[in-house]
Amino acid sequence: MKHLIYKSIVIALSVSICCSCKPKLTAPAPSKGSLDLTSYVAIGNSITSGFADGALSYNGQMVSYPNLIAGQLKLINGVNLTFNQPLLPQGSIGTNIVDSAYTNTKYIYTAPLQLGYSTDCLGVNSLGPIPVATVGDESAVSTNIYASQGPFNNMGVPGARAIDVATVGYGNPANGIGNYNPFFTRMAKNQTTSSMLSDAMLLNPTFFSLFIGNNDVLLYAANGGAPPTTITSQTAFNTSINTIVSTLTSNGAKGVIGNIPDITALPYFTTVPWNGLTLRQGQADTLNGVISFLGVNYVFTAGNNPFVIYDASVNTPSHARVMQSGELVLLNVPLDQIKCHKMGTLIPIPDQYVLTATEIQNIKTATSAFNTTIQSVAQAKGLAFVDVNAFMSQTQKGISYDGISLNAQFVTGGAFSLDGIHLNPIGNALLANQFIQAINTTYSSTIPQVDATKYRGILFP
Amino acid sequence: MNKMKKLLSLLILISPIVYKAQGFQVNLQGQAQQAMGGAGTALIQDGAAVFFNPGGVSFLKENSVNVGATPVISHGVFLESNTNATGTTQSPVAFPFAGYAVWGADSSHKVFSRFKFGLGAYTPFGSTIKWQDPWPGRFNLTEIQLFSVFIQPTISFKICNKLGIGGGFVYATGKVDLQQDLPITFQNGNYGSGIIKGNATGYGFNGGIYYKPCNKFSIGLTYRSQVNMNVKNGTATFNVPSSLATDFPNGSFTSSLPLPQVATLGLAYRVNEKLALAFDASFVGWYTYKSITFKYADTTAQLQNTVLIRNYQNAYSFRLGGQYKILNNLYGRLGLSYLISPVKSGYVTPDVPDGNRLNIMAGIGYNLGKHFAANASFTFEDITRKGDNSLSIIPTPGQTIYPLSGTYKVFIYAPGLSVTYKF
């Protein structure tokens, strides 16, 4: 009997030990292919900096796409990479810095956005983006941090255009308001003599990513094509891209270049509909009775109607006309003015909030030409090329990633942050994957992609 | 708000990982048969014939009551092919069980002794899996429990000494519990989740023919009908940020899950007094499992009915086993089975990361006196399936699918024990 008990114990033990044996799957070791990953530098604009929800903040910087790429590069055995970013203090809410209405009188500091409830002029309480504070954290960006935190591998500077990258003194306050970039002032090695490019070269990059050019059309677009903003000239753009890439590759560095998405498809431009003027019959009748004072020849009806806008090219004293299908109203249009103060009807929506068909065409033509330059430079130098434009167009139509659906709709689409221009963390992760795929293709590396399911979309209250 | 619609259309799936066998079919209905690869259609050993072949029940010599259970221990891992991200299951233990009672009049009744009556309660389909959060497939599935119990009163008639037929009515009852994360983020960074729970019932039958032309050889044929499990009043619960609460109303849902028909041809050959061999070949009609729809009582623009595309193919299985009489009261058994998966490529989902598999089994049987017997079996399965779920998603127009793609590997251990009282 003792023997039997002993045997049973042995059997029970061996069964339980055996049953706890777990399956294993081993991932193939990532390889760097033909890349030298001693020093990685990213050059770009706000997207590269990690700007999101209308501001630069520590949390956004941590999920900037180049930081995510760097994280994946570090997974390669033997790659000992530092990717130093000009981080804001961890507790800071962050800030944006704007040359208000291009007046060149002062910079204003605005706070990031969050989703929250607010009451409009009609007393309607609804969910939408609201600032987390009345002003941004100016103190977080007012001191130069190069000595204490530099040099910086992430040379993404909010607001930078392709034509700004090689500009000496781009961060020099002596140039006067509107003629220097305080974000670069904060991180430049030398405010007077540094350019983004010269500071980047201090790190002797062996590998770089370059994603620049959006602002060469976006600054114009985000101001409704109104003066004084202009689209960068094709010549100046070509010169800049060539200078940047030649300099970066001068020591044999390899790299990856992204092209420019169609910015008119960003939620910032697609959320407010051109025919968002909703009228009851009585309102339409009243409006029809008075609209001729503006020289507008249109019969308003009950339901959806086009907004009345200011268009300098209209040859009447008021320069007013109704919008056409395909024209765009910007997200920063003062909605309370529209809802309660006759903007969009008797008060035409000002130029700066509207992209007319002509302006849209200007943007598309320039973007297309810029992209031709970018792709041909990438080809000429044998660099990896990311078709960010194609990726954004994919995003617009919708993406399903590991069960997460994303598209370019404002707030609900999930890919874009609350400013309607910059990506959410999950959007950054997907963008980083586009770069990684291009790098892997060109340099025969096997850098694993970012697990984008770990990164959030919009935060809902 | 298209995103919400879409994410809900992806919500919830009902086709489960496996504790055993193809799809979520479970083949653990008798310990003696299990140890022989699951073959038992033509080799009538005990009351489990109520499941394996009702036609053979009338050939059982004794009346008996037989109860057994097989704890199923599974360990699963997942490796995403693009990101090297991993997932691990929390290895829940499932408990398929089987109980049979068989009774017939003794041989003094000329007519009645040709009949035997049986009652079976067993768990032919089920699945349980819990992925450790967070894992890359969390927006497809975090947890699934699917459990069904078939109760089968059976009558078997011995037409002559060589031929028996039998059939049973099946009442099926079960429950489903599915959970997944929703890609909606709370202010604190946590994800929302959706939980679907419901009880299901269905009906079917199990019929069989047993033919034993000589002492050495027997043949069996069985057919188990499809059973549609209907969930009439399930509950759907959504844990979402309060600003979206009205978009995701908690409420009831209905659904229907087909459990497929199975047809089996079995052969048995008694080599000598000591050695018996059994072979079963089965057809499993998974073709019927094309999609599952969850109909919510309260739908909104964001919460639409959920349709999951599965498009299973018919599956086949082959089972081979041997039994050797070591001592007068001790049997040793060995078995092998090869199962062809119903899951086609492009439909590899974390609920059923199923692949073709070769299983090995072993077991013993011990008779204690005239009335008692105990049987034990042990099964090991090693499933590896590489693929993605690209075709199981219904894309919105123009949508690009980046599917959950990678390799699943699951070890399953199933040690089982049953006791029999014969009278």
Side-chain angles (χ1 to χ4, degrees):
Chain A
M1 195 62 190
K2 233 180 176 177
H3 201 56
L4 189 65
I5 292 170
Y6 173 72
K7 267 188 174 170
S8 312
I9 291 172
V10 168
I11 289 169
L13 267 179
S14 47
V15 163
S16 59
I17 288 167
C18 168
C19 293
S20 62
C21 179
K22 292 175 181 176
K24 264 187 203 139
L25 288 169
T26 312
S31 98
K32 60 180 181 177
S34 59
L35 292 171
D36 176 354
L37 296 172
T38 313
S39 172
Y40 165 38
V41 171
I43 291 183
N45 52 37
S46 49
I47 303 173
T48 302
S49 74
F51 192 103
D53 292 329
L56 190 65
S57 70
Y58 175 88
N59 287 342
Q61 290 175 303
M62 292 310 288
V63 293
S64 70
Y65 78 84
N67 198 37
L68 298 181
I69 293 172
Q72 299 305 106
L73 298 179
K74 287 178 198 170
L75 298 174
I76 301 170
N77 216 356
V79 171
N80 193 7
L81 195 77
T82 49
F83 191 77
N84 194 24
Q85 301 197 94
L87 293 172
L88 269 68
Q90 199 166 352
S92 166
I93 59 165
T95 189
N96 189 14
I97 310 172
V98 208
D99 173 12
S100 175
Y102 301 96
T103 53
N104 290 358
T105 53
K106 65 169 183 177
Y107 287 116
I108 58 167
Y109 295 81
T110 57
L113 301 164
Q114 65 180 352
L115 210 49
Y117 290 93
S118 61
T119 306
D120 68 8
C121 59
L122 298 166
V124 177
N125 191 263
S126 64
L127 189 64
I130 54 171
V132 303
T134 48
V135 291
D137 184 0
E138 182 177 350
S139 68
V141 291
S142 55
T143 321
N144 185 283
I145 54 166
Y146 187 87
S148 57
Q149 286 175 245
F152 299 110
N153 300 75
N154 188 339
M155 295 301 296
V157 179
R161 297 166 294 181
I163 52 170
D164 296 324
V165 173
T167 304
V168 172
Y170 181 53
N172 188 358
N175 294 343
I177 305 282
N179 297 315
Y180 74 98
N181 188 326
F183 280 114
F184 187 58
T185 310
R186 174 174 174 261
M187 60 190 278
K189 185 181 185 201
N190 182 312
Q191 294 175 357
T192 316
T193 60
S194 282
S195 71
M196 288 168 61
L197 188 59
S198 69
D199 276 10
M201 291 308 289
L202 292 175
L203 285 159
N204 297 315
T206 58
F207 177 69
F208 67 89
S209 63
L210 177 66
F211 179 34
I212 196 87
N214 288 27
N215 287 329
D216 295 87
V217 281
L218 183 62
L219 296 186
Y220 171 83
N223 198 37
T229 53
T230 53
I231 295 175
T232 299
S233 80
Q234 179 72 41
T235 321
F237 185 87
N238 291 356
T239 309
S240 297
I241 291 292
N242 279 308
T243 306
I244 298 166
V245 175
S246 303
T247 309
L248 284 168
T249 54
S250 57
N251 295 325
K254 289 167 176 167
V256 54
I257 305 188
N259 69 359
I260 306 168
D262 174 12
I263 56 162
T264 62
L266 296 174
Y268 193 79
F269 301 100
T270 58
T271 302
V272 182
W274 66 279
N275 62 347
L277 179 63
T278 314
L279 299 173
R280 294 187 299 273
Q281 188 61 51
Q283 293 173 308
D285 294 343
T286 310
L287 192 53
N288 287 331
V290 294
I291 198 69
S292 56
F293 288 112
L294 284 175
V296 172
N297 188 15
Y298 188 81
V299 180
F300 293 90
T301 57
N304 282 354
N305 292 274
F307 286 116
V308 177
I309 58 166
Y310 174 93
D311 178 355
S313 70
V314 172
N315 205 5
T316 61
S318 70
H319 300 289
R321 65 168 171 93
V322 292
M323 288 190 86
Q324 303 296 316
S325 171
E327 297 187 317
L328 303 170
V329 183
L330 275 52
L331 192 57
N332 65 340
V333 68
L335 288 174
D336 272 359
Q337 296 290 321
I338 288 178
K339 288 175 190 164
C340 301
H341 300 105
K342 301 189 168 56
M343 184 182 276
T345 55
L346 295 181
I347 302 170
I349 299 178
D351 195 4
Q352 74 197 80
Y353 300 117
V354 174
L355 286 178
T356 63
T358 313
E359 289 163 341
I360 293 168
Q361 195 50 52
N362 292 343
I363 293 164
K364 287 184 189 276
T365 306
T367 303
S368 167
F370 293 169
N371 281 345
T372 305
T373 302
I374 291 172
Q375 192 166 3
S376 65
V377 170
Q379 265 164 9
K381 299 279 183 185
L383 302 172
F385 171 72
V386 187
D387 194 347
V388 180
N389 190 26
F391 169 65
M392 285 298 177
S393 142
Q394 219 177 55
T395 308
Q396 209 192 341
K397 290 181 191 128
I399 283 174
S400 167
Y401 178 89
D402 286 5
I404 304 173
S405 290
L406 296 164
N407 62 44
Q409 288 196 24
F410 190 50
V411 180
T412 57
F416 287 89
S417 73
L418 294 170
D419 59 34
I421 291 175
H422 300 92
L423 294 164
N424 268 330
I426 188 167
N428 281 326
L430 295 176
L431 180 62
N433 285 343
Q434 295 289 318
F435 276 78
I436 290 170
Q437 286 174 56
I439 295 165
N440 285 341
T441 304
T442 305
Y443 299 111
S444 309
S445 51
T446 55
I447 304 157
Q449 292 179 33
V450 178
D451 176 7
T453 63
K454 287 184 179 162
Y455 297 88
R456 69 167 178 88
I458 296 280
L459 297 177
F460 285 92
Chain B
M1 285 315 238
N2 200 26
K3 169 197 166 195
M4 305 301 172
K5 194 189 292 182
K6 189 53 198 164
L7 68 88
L8 253 291
S9 77
L10 295 174
L11 171 63
I12 310 312
L13 357 75
I14 200 176
S15 41
I17 193 198
V18 224
Y19 26 115
K20 276 229 52 195
Q22 297 130 302
F24 43 90
Q25 188 188 1
V26 180
N27 301 305
L28 295 167
Q29 281 78 29
Q31 297 302 326
Q33 294 79 4
Q34 179 59 23
M36 296 177 68
T41 305
L43 191 68
I44 303 302
Q45 306 233 59
D46 57 22
V50 167
F51 170 81
F52 281 97
N53 189 348
V57 172
S58 57
F59 280 71
L60 288 169
K61 292 192 180 80
E62 294 123 333
N63 297 329
S64 64
V65 175
N66 166 342
V67 291
T70 310
V72 176
I73 301 144
S74 68
H75 302 286
V77 290
F78 172 72
L79 177 67
E80 221 279 343
S81 54
N82 295 311
T83 64
N84 295 345
T86 56
T88 308
T89 63
Q90 272 177 344
S91 313
V93 177
F95 281 95
F97 64 87
Y100 304 97
V102 173
W103 181 85
D106 62 48
S107 52
S108 59
H109 296 80
K110 272 219 150 161
V111 179
F112 287 117
S113 66
R114 285 173 173 267
F115 286 97
K116 280 230 189 262
F117 302 95
L119 181 65
Y122 52 90
T123 53
F125 296 91
S127 174
T128 177
I129 190 166
K130 186 172 183 181
W131 290 94
Q132 278 177 9
D133 233 2
W135 83 289
R138 62 198 293 186
F139 303 107
N140 293 270
L141 183 81
T142 51
E143 191 174 348
I144 181 165
Q145 284 184 49
L146 187 81
F147 197 67
S148 68
V149 179
F150 281 23
I151 297 164
Q152 183 195 319
T154 303
I155 183 164
S156 182
F157 179 62
K158 193 192 267 186
I159 296 169
C160 64
N161 277 341
K162 291 181 176 177
L163 185 66
I165 58 167
F169 166 79
V170 167
Y171 170 72
T173 177
K175 66 164 192 171
V176 57
D177 178 349
L178 293 158
Q179 301 187 26
Q180 72 165 84
D181 285 352
L182 298 175
I184 301 172
T185 324
F186 286 84
Q187 212 92 59
N188 64 8
N190 291 343
Y191 283 108
S193 57
I195 301 170
I196 274 191
K197 279 185 183 183
N199 294 317
T201 53
Y203 304 95
F205 67 89
N206 180 2
I209 301 169
Y210 177 71
Y211 180 56
K212 191 178 180 186
C214 62
N215 265 342
K216 276 192 180 285
F217 185 70
S218 52
I219 182 167
L221 192 64
T222 61
Y223 177 76
R224 292 191 283 280
S225 73
Q226 178 170 328
V227 176
N228 289 318
M229 297 294 281
N230 294 309
V231 181
K232 285 190 177 137
N233 190 22
T235 56
T237 313
F238 302 101
N239 172 29
V240 294
S242 61
S243 59
L244 297 172
T246 54
D247 297 316
F248 295 92
N250 296 333
S252 65
F253 75 92
T254 59
S255 191
S256 177
L257 171 69
L259 302 178
Q261 57 181 341
V262 182
T264 304
L265 172 70
L267 305 171
Y269 184 63
R270 292 164 201 81
V271 180
N272 55 37
E273 277 257 308
K274 292 192 165 181
L275 180 65
L277 301 173
F279 172 76
D280 274 15
S282 297
F283 159 85
V284 189
W286 277 118
Y287 185 69
T288 185
Y289 187 35
K290 292 186 183 315
S291 67
I292 296 287
T293 304
F294 291 88
K295 284 185 185 156
Y296 301 106
D298 304 315
T299 54
T300 66
Q302 290 73 47
L303 179 62
Q304 299 289 312
N305 291 336
T306 302
V307 182
L308 304 165
I309 309 298
R310 289 295 177 264
N311 285 332
Y312 273 24
Q313 63 190 1
N314 289 329
Y316 300 87
S317 63
F318 304 94
R319 304 163 187 285
L320 181 65
Q323 171 174 285
Y324 190 76
K325 194 174 186 177
I326 301 164
L327 299 170
N328 254 348
N329 57 356
L330 182 67
Y331 296 88
R333 301 177 182 116
L334 282 174
L336 273 180
S337 65
Y338 184 69
L339 313 174
I340 296 166
S341 172
V343 178
K344 293 192 279 190
S345 69
Y347 298 92
V348 183
T349 52
D351 44 321
V352 186
D354 187 42
N356 299 344
R357 48 182 112 165
L358 183 68
N359 303 327
I360 49 173
M361 299 86 160
I364 52 169
Y366 184 71
N367 289 332
L368 193 65
K370 206 177 158 191
H371 291 298
F372 289 97
N375 286 288
S377 73
F378 185 83
T379 302
F380 173 68
E381 298 196 22
D382 174 355
I383 309 158
T384 304
R385 182 71 193 253
K386 196 176 161 131
D388 64 56
N389 63 349
S390 54
L391 300 176
S392 69
I393 299 161
I394 310 169
T396 54
Q399 192 181 39
T400 308
I401 306 282
Y402 293 84
L404 183 66
S405 168
T407 306
Y408 298 86
K409 192 167 176 66
V410 185
F411 283 175
I412 294 170
Y413 305 96
L417 184 68
S418 71
V419 290
T420 306
Y421 175 69
K422 292 179 276 193
F423 56 96

